[in-house]
Amino acid sequence: MNLIPQVVRRGVVQLLGPLVQLLVRLHVRPNTITTVGTLVVVLAALAFAFGRAHWGGFLLLLSGVCDMLDGRVARDGGAPTVFGAFYDSTLDRAGESALFAGIAAGFLQGGVPTGHLTLAVVLCFVALASSLLVSYTRARAEALGIQCNVGIAQRAERVVWLGAPTMFFGAGPNGIVLFWVVAVLALATTVTVVQRVAHVAHMARGPGVLRPLRPRDTLAGRAPALQSRKGR
């Protein structure tokens, strides 16, 4: 189950079609779009850190547009590369780390009442750790030959859930809106990790699944990067 319906996803992709074709014609490199998107996420993190939640939400949603563009430009322009997939996934994780660090810094700067401060910071850490695990579980599963794009809080859902409310409502009185958005996001990402673990456990019992040569390989391995630029 996805929080964003497929019809909405397809509609957004169609709306971005002309922009994708323009970028392809201008020979804009997908890695350039990826870099710009990450810089926008860092700006969003700084906005949250300095109590500018409206701007933080807007910039986060803008970074989500860049996140959709780079993969489309790579595929439509015939330029998907192994390094591009690696670079994209790595910067996605760096951006998420910066984002939640910025939100935590905003909380520490008086963004929430003192009585909620410890819980607010802990929720930021939980949301960050779970978000990274959501991405890792997919990358590790695909390295083993299992498709794993299930879960209620994939990257698009995380961007929309955090960006949209804060863009329209800011942090709210005493940071209550941002506090609850992070709380729900921490729960949703944790549930998504559990969903992916359960999915892989089920699929691993089926035929045709690639088994690792070593019984305890903790590295993510090499996922099919040319099929997708994302490890979500």
Side-chain angles (χ1 to χ4, degrees), residues 119-132:
L119 179 58
V121 173
V122 168
L123 288 172
C124 285
F125 283 125
V126 172
L128 172 58
S130 297
S131 295
L132 297 179

Side-chain angles (χ1 to χ4, degrees), residues 50-229:
F50 288 102
R52 301 292 188 267
H54 288 285
W55 277 105
F58 169 76
L59 290 169
L60 182 58
L61 292 177
L62 181 60
S63 75
V65 174
C66 295
D67 209 30
M68 291 185 288
L69 286 174
D70 57 6
R72 286 288 308 279
V73 170
R75 290 189 295 272
D76 292 3
T81 64
V82 172
F83 176 73
F86 168 81
Y87 184 70
D88 184 42
S89 295
T90 300
L91 288 193
D92 280 348
R93 309 293 81 77
E96 285 187 309
S97 300
L99 179 64
F100 286 107
I103 294 173
F107 286 151
L108 289 170
Q109 293 296 322
V112 291
T114 304
H116 294 161
L117 178 58
T118 300
L119 179 58
V121 173
V122 168
L123 288 172
C124 285
F125 283 125
V126 172
L128 172 58
S130 297
S131 295
L132 297 179
L133 282 172
V134 166
S135 302
Y136 174 82
T137 49
R138 176 171 178 176
R140 187 65 176 118
E142 290 185 347
L144 297 174
I146 302 173
Q147 288 295 316
C148 188
N149 56 354
V150 301
I152 62 173
Q154 300 183 62
R155 183 169 172 79
E157 282 82 1
R158 299 196 299 270
V159 168
V160 172
W161 175 253
L162 182 55
T166 52
M167 182 179 72
F168 289 110
F169 305 109
N174 295 319
I176 191 65
V177 172
L178 185 56
F179 174 87
W180 281 108
V181 165
V182 173
V184 174
L185 192 59
L187 175 61
T189 50
T190 301
V191 170
T192 301
V193 172
V194 175
Q195 287 178 302
R196 291 191 168 182
V197 171
H199 172 75
V200 173
H202 173 73
M203 297 300 295
R205 292 194 291 268
V209 176
L210 174 66
R211 296 303 196 275
L213 296 178
R214 290 176 293 176
R216 294 290 290 178
D217 179 8
T218 58
L219 297 179
R222 193 168 68 185
L226 296 182
Q227 298 178 19
S228 171
R229 285 175 59 87

